[in-house]
Amino acid sequence: SGGSSALLCAPAGGLTLGEKQEATNQLLGCGCPIHEKNAVLKHLSLVKGGQLLRACQPAKVVSLVLSDVVGDPLDSIGSGPTV
């Protein structure tokens, strides 16, 4: 993995960082497309897939997003922590 997704890491309960890294390596090693990789890894995180946004409620959250993801789907950029 790389980019913003790699900068924001909080493995889900009981999962070690090493275990999450191994899952990421397995997905990358098999040629898994990024949107499929992110769909799996969101479930192994406390912050991905909108979970950071939910943790910040009721505060107002503003996201400034720069992307190199084709088509710019917000849930794919950085694994969508605030979507």
Side-chain angles (χ1 to χ4, degrees), residues 32-69:
C32 184
I34 190 166
H35 66 279
E36 291 178 15
K37 176 187 73 74
N38 288 343
V40 172
L41 295 179
K42 286 176 190 178
H43 297 283
L44 304 179
S45 173
L46 294 174
V47 293
K48 309 282 171 69
Q51 294 182 81
L52 178 61
L53 176 64
R54 286 188 287 282
C56 291
Q57 290 178 346
K60 180 178 180 180
V61 174
V62 176
S63 297
L64 302 176
V65 180
L66 298 175
S67 175
D68 62 353
V69 177

Side-chain angles (χ1 to χ4, degrees), residues 16-32:
T16 68
L17 178 57
E19 291 167 334
K20 188 167 182 195
Q21 289 171 324
E22 179 60 27
T24 300
N25 290 337
Q26 291 287 328
L27 292 167
L28 292 173
C30 73
C32 184

